[in-house]
Amino acid sequence: MKKLNYLIKMAVIICSASKALAILPVAVFSEDGFPTIGGIPSFPPSKIIETLTELGIEAHAVSAEDMCNSNNLNSGKYFALVLPYGNAFPIAAFENLQKFHKSGGCFITTSIPFFNPYIKIDGTWKEWTNPSQLSFIRNDAFGFGTGGYGDPKPNQNISITVPGHPVGITENMLPTDLKNHQWLDIQALAASDQVIPIVNMIIDGRQRIGMALIRHLGRNYHGARDVWMGQMAEGSDASDRYFAKQVLTRGIYWCALERGLINTEVFKSEIARLDKVEKPKPLPANLTYAVTPRPWGNTYLPKSKTPARHLIAIDVEHLSKDQRIAVTCLQGLTSRSWPQIWIIRRPEDKDWLDWHKEKKYIDDYEIITKPELLFKRFSNVFKGAIIPDTKLYRGDLLALNIAECDDLIVASPELARELNLPIKMDLRDRFKTYAEGMNWVWSHYKNQLNHQLCKYAYPPLLADCNFAYDFEWHSVMFWIAGPKDESKYGADHFEELDLMSRIFSEMDPNIGVLGFPYGGENIGIGENEGVSFASRYAKGLVCSDFLCNLCVMSGVDVGNLTQPRQLPAPKLDANAIYIALIMSDGDNQNTWMSLFKKYFSSPAFGKFPVSFGMGPAIHDLMPAVSLWYYEHASRNTEFIADVSGAAYIEPEDYGVAYSNQKVAFSDFLAWTSRLMKEMGMNSVRPNGGDDNIQLLYSQALPFCYGIFPNTGSYPIKQGIDQLTYSLRNGTPLFRTVESEKFGKDGFFRVIMEQVRSQRPAFVNACISTWVFSPEDLARIYDQKGTNIVFVTPSQLAELYREAQKKGLIR
């Protein structure tokens, strides 16, 4: 009874707040594609609106165009405007925004508000050229009166304090990592304005204001109230969103109280409610490092059974998305006993099918176009259909994880009827969020899902038939939403990150993550964050988001490969600059299907040395594909293990969630050693890392003639003597010289900027496959000066050692 009375009382309080605030809603600036400078990346507009709505505060998204129109944005319609894009604002809205503020409208600002004006030109937002260098932060007819800012000097001692104040922010609410420390310059406010600090900064003993509430009592903006959030929540983790939520919502309640929209009792009750919201706990850490046997045997990635001698190839180009997904499920199911189905989406799939036939890994194949023939032929393989929730973002991924465990086909109700599939499970309207659904999947199918394989599965790519291999091996398929796709129904980046960190912590370390964590700008967790997140739990990314037919290709055995026989190194010239051109992104397994073939078919191929980074996991996934490149290589071709060995990882982050990180990284290097030997590779390109990490690589891979770290210019060391040198055990280290800094025509300019007067010089030049075409490489070779000599990586190391012995370099 007490609990019931308490709930009724809380409901009355919430309803009273909701009704009071509903008198004047809150506007939230939300414009797709609008630039962000600072801001609160962890708390995008869609989540701000969602949060306010959950609290009973009516909130509406307003566009840049809306903010220009006084009918759409005015202080009689909205009592507050949230500006989440940091310094940036649309200059076209200046007049109406100023009018809104002058009439008592409240600004909830982030970073340094109104500092960078933008204008839309031909559909693109560009920074506005400010002819008079107007300062929009000042308190006059040309500004908004929101205050200026100050910057700490380098190496100043900074500490953060939280004073007691009306909105109740406490020190334990602060973000885990405070990155920026610009402060509010109150000199830019009206002399009569009142500033109530939320967070203070003590910089070399002097107090500054990091976050504040502002009562405007001056002539220009009398009656307006602002929340100046500054840069205290500019990070990207869950603690930043939590802190931003606390300050923003408490600030809005304060503005509502100041404007007379709620009374003191409601204000206090809402603050008390926010006090009970727990700060997110850190991601799982200090885990016990334990490895269990892989269910498929002792390879880094699964190897299917030897494929059938006669394959059924289905052309899916004309099929619908639902049909393609269903066919891919069937390919995965049949491959568990015997890989028999090959999917043709585009010409390259047919080309590689013919290559497998040419090399006698299969005898022949037949091509069909009707999926119903496949389902009739293999009707004993599946038990029925599972219907995904198409309204829920990633409802199809939830269905796939269940389907691979229960031998089901993911299908729409219409397709299930068409293929005569009995419906065994219907997920429509079952889960409110993806995190809720994925948590249920893991709870119910944990013992059936593979603990040694997972995949970043971007949902729109499922129709590209890219998941059969994952389906075959019961892989954990998931997708963590990013700032942009987080606005979709059922998405919450931090709930999903928290859930997947728990799932990762319960899976084995030193396993592969297939797919790719990036689906476009701000879609998905992102490449850098996705690799770092997986690395934290000792999981390496194997880029494979567009790959098809791995069920068949992985079943092929080509044995150990041998590097193309190298030409002898040129004679050492003390006045020469030696350059190894090494193509990047070969760790991206997708690139070997067609992109790199363009280089091999170029008329200039083989006329000068060009080397290729290749992810050695290709030996598990697509051995016959790697064989094609080895057989078609020239004597001027060499392959090295691309970032960062067995898989794409962040070496410094790898295994940090485990109590014994050193063992985790050591085991990764052991997998790297094994795969490199199978590929006949004698060097590796780690993805960054200091000299201590490079030393670990060289010690674990003693057969390497040198280490070639980085895919861009090393961010700290500059000058060739800081990029090319020997580790303390004598192993040559060739850090990358970024090749595209000055564009495709500035290749030699970049080289000379680093080499300067050093002779002889030895350069590791990373060539981006996405920038330099085969024709660009031929042009660079033709433009080389008389003292420029192109070599392979092994030749570079050989000449470097010779120069050392002769005392030409230190």
Side-chain angles (χ1 to χ4, degrees):
M1 193 59 155
K2 289 182 179 179
K3 184 175 181 181
L4 178 61
N5 290 335
Y6 170 77
L7 292 174
I8 293 172
K9 183 178 179 181
M10 287 302 297
V12 169
I13 291 173
I14 292 170
C15 289
S16 66
S18 178
K19 288 176 181 177
L21 292 176
I23 297 171
L24 286 180
V26 172
V28 180
F29 177 30
S30 179
E31 176 87 9
D32 190 29
F34 193 78
T36 300
I37 302 178
I40 39 177
S42 66
F43 201 24
S46 62
K47 287 300 168 187
I48 292 174
I49 293 171
E50 183 180 301
T51 295
L52 295 178
T53 302
E54 289 172 354
L55 290 171
I57 303 172
E58 186 177 353
H60 301 160
V62 294
S63 67
E65 185 177 352
D66 289 332
M67 292 201 302
C68 297
N69 189 329
S70 60
N71 291 324
N72 297 331
L73 177 69
N74 60 72
S75 61
K77 187 174 184 179
Y78 298 107
F79 80 88
L81 170 65
V82 181
L83 296 158
Y85 296 98
N87 303 16
F89 76 101
I91 186 61
F94 170 78
E95 184 177 339
N96 193 48
L97 286 174
Q98 193 182 57
K99 182 179 179 181
F100 173 83
H101 203 213
K102 283 185 174 182
S103 58
C106 306
F107 285 149
I108 317 296
T109 67
T110 57
S111 295
I112 312 302
F114 307 115
F115 195 75
N116 295 86
Y118 276 80
I119 187 169
K120 200 169 191 178
I121 301 175
D122 297 329
T124 302
W125 288 101
K126 297 181 179 179
E127 190 155 12
W128 181 64
T129 302
N130 189 343
S132 302
Q133 295 299 304
L134 296 173
S135 175
F136 300 101
I137 61 179
R138 62 193 188 187
N139 187 50
D140 60 19
F142 300 105
F144 293 103
T146 48
Y149 72 97
D151 280 309
K153 296 177 181 178
N155 303 317
Q156 282 189 301
N157 183 34
I158 302 174
S159 60
I160 306 297
T161 64
V162 178
H165 54 80
V167 294
I169 293 294
T170 59
E171 193 167 324
N172 63 0
M173 295 178 182
L174 291 171
T176 302
D177 183 16
L178 290 171
K179 294 181 173 61
N180 295 310
H181 299 95
Q182 288 178 322
W183 68 81
L184 172 64
D185 179 8
I186 61 174
Q187 299 302 315
L189 296 170
S192 55
D193 286 349
Q194 294 179 357
V195 179
I196 306 170
I198 298 176
V199 175
N200 283 327
M201 295 182 290
I202 310 300
I203 303 178
D204 285 345
R206 186 172 181 181
Q207 183 168 295
R208 301 291 191 178
I209 298 173
M211 284 182 137
L213 307 172
I214 302 172
R215 284 193 185 102
H216 289 283
L217 303 177
R219 180 170 55 86
N220 289 329
Y221 299 103
H222 189 87
R225 301 292 186 265
D226 293 344
V227 182
W228 200 89
M229 292 182 63
Q231 297 181 304
M232 290 292 165
E234 273 196 8
S236 58
D237 69 16
S239 69
D240 288 287
R241 176 176 289 187
Y242 165 80
F243 185 60
K245 278 185 177 182
Q246 289 286 348
V247 175
L248 184 142
T249 53
R250 290 165 187 261
I252 286 175
Y253 284 131
W254 178 80
C255 290
L257 176 65
E258 292 279 313
R259 286 283 305 270
L261 299 175
I262 59 174
N263 58 37
T264 302
E265 181 182 353
V266 170
F267 173 76
K268 288 181 178 180
S269 68
E270 292 304 316
I271 295 299
R273 184 154 65 112
L274 290 169
D275 287 341
K276 296 177 182 178
V277 179
E278 293 185 5
K279 187 175 182 178
K281 295 177 181 176
L283 299 181
N286 201 32
L287 304 173
T288 300
Y289 184 82
V291 177
T292 59
R294 282 154 157 76
W296 58 80
N298 191 27
T299 56
Y300 187 67
L301 295 172
K303 298 282 291 178
S304 296
K305 295 178 181 178
T306 303
R309 301 305 303 175
H310 178 87
L311 293 182
I312 302 170
I314 178 167
D315 187 339
V316 301
E317 185 179 1
H318 64 292
L319 299 185
S320 68
K321 171 187 174 182
D322 288 345
Q323 289 174 317
R324 285 175 166 226
I325 289 175
V327 165
T328 310
C329 291
L330 186 62
Q331 185 188 35
L333 283 172
T334 56
S335 296
R336 291 174 183 170
S337 57
W338 202 15
Q340 302 170 69
I341 299 173
W342 186 279
I343 294 176
I344 300 176
R345 308 159 300 174
R346 32 192 177 264
E348 67 188 45
D349 297 320
K350 173 70 163 49
D351 293 342
W352 288 114
L353 178 59
D354 289 334
W355 172 247
H356 280 72
K357 180 180 178 181
E358 180 183 334
K359 299 303 290 184
K360 303 188 184 306
Y361 298 121
I362 62 170
D363 292 333
D364 56 14
Y365 59 86
E366 60 179 299
I367 298 179
I368 64 173
T369 58
K370 296 181 178 180
E372 56 267 26
L373 297 178
L374 274 183
F375 283 90
K376 185 176 181 180
R377 180 164 180 172
F378 296 106
S379 59
N380 63 324
V381 174
F382 53 85
K383 297 176 181 177
I386 179 171
I387 311 300
D389 187 347
T390 55
K391 292 187 300 182
L392 179 66
Y393 180 48
R394 294 152 300 168
D396 42 11
L397 284 182
L398 298 179
L400 281 175
N401 281 286
I402 297 169
E404 64 184 357
C405 295
D406 288 346
D407 298 344
L408 302 175
I409 303 296
V410 176
S412 64
E414 296 76 17
L415 183 59
R417 286 194 297 270
E418 181 184 323
L419 297 175
N420 198 29
L421 304 175
I423 297 175
K424 297 295 185 179
M425 189 178 292
D426 191 336
L427 297 181
R428 288 175 293 183
D429 297 321
R430 183 159 182 175
F431 305 110
K432 292 182 179 179
T433 68
Y434 168 74
E436 177 193 352
M438 192 63 195
N439 182 61
W440 183 88
V441 168
W442 183 248
S443 299
H444 284 74
Y445 292 93
K446 182 191 302 186
N447 294 332
Q448 292 168 261
L449 288 167
N450 201 320
H451 286 217
Q452 288 92 0
L453 189 69
C454 52
K455 179 174 188 170
Y456 281 115
Y458 181 41
L461 290 183
L462 298 179
D464 204 38
C465 309
N466 69 346
F467 63 87
Y469 177 79
D470 309 272
F471 203 94
E472 174 188 1
W473 292 103
H474 298 91
S475 170
V476 179
M477 290 180 268
F478 67 97
W479 183 257
I480 300 170
K484 190 170 183 178
D485 53 337
E486 193 182 25
S487 64
K488 295 180 180 291
Y489 176 63
D492 188 297
H493 171 78
F494 289 110
E495 283 187 10
E496 295 158 19
L497 192 69
D498 183 69
L499 172 64
M500 284 312 305
S501 67
R502 178 167 61 83
I503 292 175
F504 269 15
S505 70
E506 295 179 30
M507 296 178 71
D508 272 32
N510 267 311
I511 63 172
V513 184
L514 300 180
F516 200 63
Y518 174 85
E521 190 66 33
N522 289 322
I523 299 176
I525 189 175
E527 178 179 350
N528 295 334
E529 292 80 1
V531 172
S532 180
F533 177 63
S535 294
R536 173 183 172 81
Y537 295 97
K539 291 158 182 62
L541 179 67
V542 180
C543 307
S544 54
D545 49 333
F546 288 94
L547 290 185
C548 183
N549 299 309
L550 293 177
C551 297
V552 178
M553 292 192 289
S554 65
V556 168
D557 183 6
V558 300
N560 288 357
L561 298 179
T562 303
Q563 280 280 343
R565 189 161 62 93
Q566 300 289 296
L567 290 169
K571 185 178 179 180
L572 179 64
D573 181 349
N575 295 312
I577 300 172
Y578 295 97
I579 303 174
L581 299 174
I582 310 177
M583 301 298 301
S584 72
D585 278 29
D587 68 297
N588 183 339
Q589 304 291 323
N590 305 292
T591 56
W592 297 105
M593 301 307 288
S594 60
L595 179 61
F596 281 126
K597 271 194 170 184
K598 296 177 181 178
Y599 294 91
F600 278 63
S601 61
S602 167
F605 181 73
K607 294 181 178 180
F608 55 92
V610 177
S611 301
F612 296 82
M614 177 183 277
I618 196 173
H619 194 266
D620 290 340
L621 281 181
M622 307 183 295
V625 173
S626 63
L627 179 66
W628 185 94
Y629 284 96
Y630 272 55
E631 288 191 352
H632 289 78
S634 75
R635 294 190 69 186
N636 270 324
T637 308
E638 187 176 353
F639 299 97
I640 70 169
D642 221 340
V643 293
S644 292
Y648 180 9
I649 69 166
E650 292 286 353
E652 291 169 331
D653 294 337
Y654 198 79
V656 297
Y658 292 91
S659 57
N660 200 332
Q661 181 188 6
K662 290 182 179 179
V663 174
F665 191 57
S666 176
D667 282 0
F668 173 80
L669 293 176
W671 278 114
T672 296
S673 175
R674 172 178 170 165
L675 286 166
M676 287 179 65
K677 289 175 180 177
E678 291 172 347
M679 295 294 294
M681 294 174 172
N682 294 302
S683 193
V684 62
R685 175 159 47 200
N687 183 39
D690 62 17
D691 286 0
N692 291 325
I693 285 177
Q694 308 311 321
L695 187 63
L696 292 175
Y697 270 95
S698 69
Q699 291 170 340
L701 311 171
F703 51 87
C704 284
Y705 51 73
I707 310 294
F708 291 74
N710 309 98
T711 53
S713 183
Y714 191 59
I716 299 174
K717 299 180 179 180
Q718 293 293 321
I720 199 63
D721 60 329
Q722 296 295 307
L723 297 172
T724 298
Y725 52 95
S726 293
L727 295 169
R728 62 175 181 267
N729 67 347
T731 302
L733 190 75
F734 303 93
R735 290 195 180 273
T736 292
V737 173
E738 182 187 11
S739 60
E740 58 193 84
K741 180 178 179 181
F742 300 118
K744 293 196 295 185
D745 296 326
F747 175 82
F748 289 111
R749 179 184 170 190
V750 175
I751 301 299
M752 297 311 299
E753 181 181 76
Q754 296 295 339
V755 169
R756 302 169 191 164
S757 61
Q758 173 68 49
R759 302 291 184 277
F762 302 88
V763 180
N764 163 19
C766 177
I767 303 295
S768 171
T769 59
W770 312 112
V771 176
F772 292 89
S773 68
E775 294 72 26
D776 291 324
L777 297 186
R779 175 180 50 77
I780 287 172
Y781 179 74
D782 290 340
Q783 292 176 347
K784 67 182 178 66
T786 55
N787 67 330
I788 301 290
V789 181
F790 289 109
V791 292
T792 62
S794 59
Q795 291 171 346
L796 189 73
E798 180 183 338
L799 291 166
Y800 175 80
R801 288 182 184 274
E802 184 181 349
Q804 275 186 319
K805 289 180 181 179
K806 292 182 176 180
L808 299 176
I809 56 174
R810 60 182 178 85

